[in-house]
Amino acid sequence: MAEDSEHSESTGCAAYAESGATRVVVGGAVLDGGRLLAARRSAPPALAGRWELPGGKLEPGETAEQALVRELREELGVEVEPVERIPGLWQLSPPYVLQVWTARLVSGEPRPLQDHDELRWLTPDRAGEVDWLDQDRPAVAEAVRRLREPAARAERQE
């Protein structure tokens, strides 16, 4: 995610979200050609070297979908189309919570322009090869499940 909001190891996200002081960070599970895009953090130092679903903070007046499009344009130089929100809300450092959307790559080749020093396209079988930030893991697991779903359906139809 963009900005310097640090991920936290805490739980209790739902209770915190009800307090009304919550700020949303939106992450993008960018899917293309049966692969998931992973981004390695370069900052802040506590997160550097770990992998995440790219994205960032909502600005006042923005929807989650608008923020995702803007953040991925700024961070990666790509245009995406948000597709569907992955169920769940994950606590980051207060007052931030993470929500994740699947997104389709519309145009551009992702490049690490801000907050990241490396990008990788991962197939479902390789998604576990990077050290994901803890809060991203449930959404990554769901994105991988969704990537596998069409292949499983195709196998059943044969």
Side-chain angles (χ1 to χ4, degrees), residues 39-60:
R40 188 172 68 185
R41 291 293 308 231
S42 57
L47 304 180
R50 295 196 67 196
W51 295 78
E52 69 174 359
L53 300 171
K57 298 174 189 169
L58 269 70
E59 297 293 338

Side-chain angles (χ1 to χ4, degrees), residues 10 45 55-56 69 77 90 118 135 150:
S10 66
V69 169
W90 297 275
E118 185 179 340
Q135 291 77 4

Side-chain angles (χ1 to χ4, degrees), residues 15-31:
Y16 190 79
E18 293 170 6
S19 74
T22 302
R23 291 212 40 212
V24 174
V25 173
V26 64
V30 180
L31 309 176

